[in-house]
Amino acid sequence: MKATLFVSKSLVVSVLFTFYSAFADNSFTAPKGYSIETISLPENTKMNIAGLDVASNGDVYAATRLGEVWVLKGGADISNTTPIWRRFADGLHEVTGLLVDDDSIMVAQKPELTRLVDTNSDDIAEQYLRVVKGWKFHNNYHEYHYGPVKDNEGNYYAALNLAHGGKTSLAMMGSDGGWRGWMYQVNTKGEFVPYASGLRSPAGIGISPSQELFFTDNQGDWIATSKLHYVEKGKFYGHPASLIDHPDYSFDKVHNMTAGDFAALAEPPTVWFPHREVANSPGNPVWDTTDGQFGPFAGQMFIPDYTFSSIFRVMLDKVNGQYQGAAMNFMDGFQSGNIRIQFDDNGQLWVGQTARGWPTRGNKPFGLQKVVWNGEQAFELQNIKLTRAGFSLTFTDTIDETSVVPDAFSIHQWRYRYSKEYGSPKLDEQIIEVTDTVLSEDKKTINISLPLTPNRVLSIAFDGIAANSQQTPSTTELFYTLNQVIH
Amino acid sequence: MRLSCRLLFTLFLGVCIGVNVSAQSEVNGTTSLSLDAQLDEELRALSIDKTTLAQGKNKYILYCLACHAKDLSGGNGFNLKDGVWVHGNRPSDLFNSVSRGFLAQGMPSFKDILSENDRKQIVAYVMSKREGFDNLTYEVYALDSNDDTSLVGKTPIKTGKLHDNLMDFTIPEIKEFGVVFEGDFYTYNDQPTRFRMGGRAFDLMTLEIDGESVEKLWKKGWNPTWLLKPGKQYIKLTYLSSKNPDYLDTNFLGYVTPEDGSIKYFATTARAQGLMANRTYNIEAKAHPVLQRKKIHKLPAGTISVGLPEKVNFAFDPSKCAINALWVGDFLNIGPNIDRRTGDPSLPLSEFIFFAPNGISPSQGNCEYLGYARNQNIRFNYLLNGIDVSLSANSLEKHRISFIFEIKKLDVDGENKKMTFSLPDIPSLKYLSEDGAIDELGWSFYPKENTSFKLDVLVSKDSS
């Protein structure tokens, strides 16, 4: 018989107010071979890190919500056992994004995208230069500013959070104009280009090694659960408040539209992150570009989560030319709210942390940690791809043949509602039977067959699967966003 | 006796106090209780008398500020505006505290330093600054069920006094409860204030002021809020937990705010007080100027503020290239702006001499802000009508600040366009400039005529 199915009856209210119940159990997950190291911080300052990047010389830059930028000189250099902290900048307005850009540092502070230049190489910025004008900040606490990331052509991308409430709100989050709820580009001429709309609280933006742009957004009004989007210029990603700045719309027009009208315009999320199961407040996506220095997940996407104080993995799957894919927990047990991660050139994954204003599982107010891999091979799910008949799940090591039976899997699916309500319950929740399992010749891949319905999120649990070595995976459940089946 | 006591002040003060106190009660003769009651009445009357308060304030600044802070929030000495009174909360208790002092704890006796009248004025002033509840009591009721919405016919299961005069919503300790808090309440006389409770809108939270029930300012939504009367009033807050969903945290926050709700003046619940206590993060200019780009009370979004070591502070609005605030004294408490979700503005540590929309601002043309440079000094760079300008400030003597406009590059056509800046018309400010003309339109100069133009702003000493 299958493992008993947890059918969520959670009302919107419990979605809102029971963050902690997800943490009732105190155990932590980490794949074999991975461990967390804690970095000591400068004393007597509030190091709520919300911007993080590593320079090619190993200097680790951290920007804080207090408004400072600190650099850990040679922090990513493994031979340097006593790296020192220097305060690079201060007096900024709640920095929630940082990019090391050649010889200068770019920060996204609430009112401005700013370039910090250290003109005399003393590790203290002398120039605080405005990078671009064209958008507005209205002193609303929720008008955060995320990014920037830079593409190979030299364009920058950053994202503007909506305001909390306000006259123009259609539900909870609103915009007082000035391109709130948009991703913008600063092109190579230095011009402000509104790039994509419909963003709510896009706390993480990232650009892949193949130059594709993604952002994560947080559950809330119009957003059923947290999610990842692949971004294309001119498209709309779901939160209507941003449309008041769109040249084809107006305040009145937007306020006369229905949820159905907005739904017709909106792009489907690339990957949903079910609330209280994978992520409640995702940060920035990064790609494992370490060529195996960080283990068997080379090329894959990792994302931190603030509430869970965790890092999870995203496995993208291109189906009919469109991205969709799966999310699953990678590691938790971090000391504070994980909001920024970044790989260095030595295969270490740095984690910038803050806990303030919203609950986090890790109980420290802020911090900096890193994840290191000691080379030990773990038995984990490596990747998942949609097939015509079901899914193909690849593991990092050979699988015990006898464990590969339909009963090793338990699968259920549901969909979400698009509405102005805060979050969505799971709708049309349904148990799905696996009808067949086939193990590949190299014994690393299992093909499962099951009935497929588009526009569903599937929870795929594989508790029964074990390695030949009898190791079992540290995480045995993933969430696949099935926007489309293969045509 | 008096004279010798003064002479020996530093050495034998303690002894003198003892003598004086006993002498006083001898002279007073009759029951001190009725005399105290008389004094209470007299001080209450004085505490709403404008002239007394003005005199009391001046004397408070001279004799008490060092230990109790300008805003009475305390330092070496206790907070004198909150609800905690270690040595008694009656006006006569305050008077006696001032008269006798607490030598062992570090407060001198003022009996021989200040006349009786002076002490009364100061106490009246202190009373007028009182914030929040006094003589606060609670009653807890058990409700029958989640549907029980009335306290009628019930007797409280628990009653008591709240010695810190803060409503404490952890007192009920049962799941379905009713709680009533009531007591005297003090808020400001000189401006409208609001009584705001944090959290979800509760149908079952009601407020009475001076025996009459008051309507909430809005019926729906979060944060039930009521308008307060000015000054002293009697408040009764009733709350019933029934009909609330289980997840609701009933350990509510409560604050008094200005009419626009933009800041929190003081806490009314124990939990809010705990949060308020951690909201001080003062920025101070020591050897060099300091700069903070934060949300600041009353100033427009994006404003950048600068504090000079000479304790002259100003703010710069990059969207208008304007100096949009000036204040003399301590710089800025950014604590409220970096606390929790960061909703509240930073607070300048002394009063603005002028603030936006008032300002020293370019009167015509457009400005494009470029950024600032920080070395020993801070320099704002911008294009004003195409002219590349940099603005810096210094203070070479107390109460004087000089703004220096440097012309880094003239505009392309090189025309000698006049530049004019508005100057706030404030009685306590005087403007001087050898590099330009000052008239009723403001300050103006011709950028082609020099590379640097200086404007001196003199602040009269009583304005700080």
Side-chain angles (χ1 to χ4, degrees), chain B residues 347-359:
Chain B
L347 302 170
L349 291 169
S350 35
E351 265 166 47
F352 287 136
I353 296 169
F354 67 77
F355 66 96
N358 238 336

Side-chain angles (χ1 to χ4, degrees), chain A residues 13 17 46 66 90-94 109 111-112 126-130 133 137-139 141 356-358, chain B residues 222 247 281 291-295 299 301 334 338 340-343 368-375:
Chain A
V13 285
F17 292 99
K46 293 178 185 284
L66 173 63
D90 75 305
L92 298 162
H93 194 165
E94 194 157 35
Q109 53 171 332
E112 189 179 275
E126 284 80 29
Q127 296 284 344
Y128 291 61
L129 307 172
R130 181 172 78 173
K133 58 173 178 172
F137 167 62
H138 310 83
N139 254 347
Y141 82 88
R356 199 181 85 198
W358 290 268
Chain B
W222 297 58
Y247 61 77
Y281 196 100
L291 177 147
Q292 285 292 325
R293 193 163 197 181
K294 292 280 183 299
K295 179 176 179 179
L299 299 185
I334 63 166
I338 58 165
R340 302 195 297 151
R341 293 190 185 182
T342 319
E368 187 179 337
Y369 170 73
L370 301 172
Y372 54 84
R374 292 178 71 180
N375 293 304

Side-chain angles (χ1 to χ4, degrees), chain A residues 235-451:
Chain A
K235 294 205 167 160
F236 169 70
Y237 293 96
H239 199 295
S242 57
L243 290 176
I244 65 166
D245 281 306
H246 194 292
D248 299 344
Y249 296 85
S250 65
F251 178 83
D252 289 338
K253 207 165 168 182
V254 170
H255 281 77
N256 286 323
M257 286 168 74
T258 65
D261 299 335
F262 297 130
L265 294 172
E267 293 300 311
T270 305
V271 181
W272 288 112
F273 307 143
H275 202 67
R276 297 200 284 148
E277 289 176 296
V278 181
N280 281 24
S281 350
N284 67 309
V286 297
W287 285 259
D288 179 351
T289 48
T290 66
D291 289 328
Q293 287 186 86
F294 193 69
F297 309 111
Q300 285 189 9
M301 186 191 288
F302 288 79
I303 301 177
D305 188 72
Y306 170 92
T307 315
F308 280 62
S309 304
S310 69
I311 295 173
F312 60 99
R313 288 166 51 205
V314 169
M315 294 157 278
L316 290 177
D317 192 7
K318 212 165 205 175
V319 174
N320 308 324
Q322 305 284 317
Y323 278 126
Q324 57 190 34
M328 74 187 290
N329 186 36
F330 170 62
M331 229 175 141
D332 48 34
F334 292 85
Q335 62 183 355
S336 182
N338 293 355
I339 179 150
R340 294 288 169 255
I341 54 176
Q342 203 54 255
F343 281 105
D344 66 20
D345 290 343
N346 297 312
Q348 309 180 97
L349 182 59
W350 291 79
V351 190
Q353 300 162 325
T354 171
R356 199 181 85 198
W358 290 268
T360 57
R361 185 180 186 186
N363 59 13
K364 293 267 161 61
F366 46 73
L368 181 64
Q369 293 185 308
K370 63 183 182 185
V371 181
V372 294
W373 183 55
N374 66 10
E376 243 180 298
Q377 281 297 337
F379 177 68
E380 299 291 342
L381 180 89
Q382 203 269 335
N383 209 349
I384 178 168
K385 295 277 178 207
L386 183 69
T387 63
R388 282 186 188 278
F391 293 95
S392 154
L393 292 88
T394 303
F395 289 78
T396 56
D397 202 355
T398 53
I399 302 161
D400 175 0
E401 230 166 315
T402 62
S403 74
V404 184
V405 288
D407 270 3
F409 294 87
S410 52
I411 300 183
H412 66 282
Q413 67 179 25
W414 63 89
R415 65 181 180 86
Y416 290 116
R417 174 184 65 200
Y418 174 75
S419 82
K420 70 180 175 124
E421 299 303 325
Y422 198 103
S424 163
K426 295 175 175 176
L427 304 179
D428 300 336
E429 208 169 359
Q430 207 182 356
I431 295 174
I432 305 293
E433 303 286 337
V434 172
T435 54
D436 192 21
T437 52
V438 179
L439 185 61
S440 68
E441 252 176 60
D442 70 357
K443 304 227 162 116
K444 286 187 171 175
T445 299
I446 307 169
N447 278 290
I448 59 174
S449 303
L450 56 140

